Amino acid sequence: MAEGRSIALKVCGNRDNIVEVASLNPDYMGFIFYEPSPRHVGVDFKMPVLPKSIKKVGVFVNEEVEVIKKLVAKFKLDFVQLHGHESVEDCRVLKELGVGVIKVFSVDATFDFDTTAPYEGVVDYFLFDTKGKFYGGNAIPFDWNLLTNYHQRVPFFLGGGLTLENISGIKRLSTMNLHAIDVNSGVEDSPGLKSIVKIESILEILNSKF
């Protein structure tokens, strides 16, 4: 991650001002390859050249592994983020491609963190976001106190309704294995169009002695 940043930043759902966002040097940029999403990049998407310091993350939901493989190769993705019911074997196959794997789990008060255990060793990171109507993009945070039930063995991304108004709250997660925060709708002017001002403000917080 960027020097001086103890928690990495992933900006997800990029589409309309990718180069502008990249100029801010987030650690990860996410591109959604899930057609029902309002941030879907579309079949004619052309990936701009990004700085090598930024990891490109393809976001998928219950997609066939062979399709994911082709898109990894086409767009030279560094990571795949799996939001659906992908199996341990799916993750293992993708990991063997040499691409990083982020497995997403949607959290509410009934979530059993033991369900993450079979994925240890076949993923690089978990991502915990809010369980809701949609596969991601529910724009509300879950109760972060629930993360005390997580064993912390695999580093994780925190998603789900992160905004400038609540970002300072992650200070209380400092003893956990938190690798990165994942922002999306909370830094947008409209779906797929990111607010440069909001991202700059979040980076300022993360770059401070947080």
Side-chain angles (χ1 to χ4, degrees):
M1 67 186 74
E3 186 177 349
R5 204 140 71 217
S6 60
I7 299 173
L9 176 65
K10 174 173 172 280
V11 180
C12 199
N14 297 280
R15 188 184 59 211
D16 299 333
N17 57 341
I18 295 168
V19 173
E20 276 188 287
V21 173
S23 72
L24 302 179
N25 198 33
D27 302 280
Y28 302 85
M29 290 180 67
F31 305 90
I32 296 176
F33 295 93
Y34 177 56
E35 192 169 349
S37 170
R39 299 166 185 86
H40 180 230
V41 291
V43 294
D44 298 322
F45 177 57
K46 292 180 174 57
M47 180 75 75
V49 176
L50 302 181
K52 291 185 178 180
S53 60
I54 299 174
K55 302 301 182 185
K56 294 178 289 189
V57 183
V59 179
F60 302 94
V61 179
N62 297 323
E63 185 58 87
E64 294 181 10
V65 169
E66 290 305 314
V67 173
I68 296 175
K69 285 182 179 180
K70 290 176 182 177
L71 291 171
V72 166
K74 179 177 180 180
F75 295 109
K76 296 180 171 59
L77 300 175
D78 301 292
F79 281 83
V80 294
Q81 180 174 312
L82 306 175
H83 262 272
H85 303 293
E86 297 84 7
S87 68
V88 171
E89 184 59 25
D90 290 338
C91 294
R92 181 179 290 109
V93 170
L94 291 167
K95 182 73 176 163
E96 288 172 355
L97 287 179
V99 68
V101 178
I102 303 167
K103 182 68 183 83
V104 181
F105 293 91
S106 297
V107 177
D108 65 5
T110 66
F111 180 69
D112 181 1
F113 282 90
D114 287 342
T115 60
T116 66
Y119 291 85
E120 292 179 41
V122 297
V123 303
D124 296 89
Y125 301 102
F126 294 135
L127 190 157
F128 298 122
D129 73 358
T130 308
K131 186 173 184 178
K133 181 180 178 181
F134 305 106
Y135 286 104
N138 288 284
I140 53 174
F142 63 90
D143 179 2
W144 298 342
N145 291 318
L146 295 170
L147 291 167
T148 59
N149 298 319
Y150 175 53
H151 53 60
Q152 310 297 325
R153 290 192 292 269
V154 176
F156 67 92
F157 288 64
L158 177 66
L162 291 172
T163 66
L164 279 170
E165 288 68 40
N166 62 23
I167 198 76
S168 61
I170 65 172
K171 288 180 182 179
R172 58 193 171 93
L173 308 181
S174 60
T175 61
M176 298 185 183
N177 202 359
L178 174 62
H179 170 67
I181 62 169
D182 185 354
V183 297
N184 192 342
S185 61
V187 295
E188 282 185 331
D189 292 324
S190 62
L193 179 65
K194 303 304 177 185
S195 166
I196 299 304
V197 171
K198 289 180 181 178
I199 296 172
E200 284 177 331
S201 296
I202 285 179
L203 282 169
E204 186 175 340
I205 293 169
L206 294 179
N207 289 334
S208 66
K209 292 183 178 179
F210 194 63

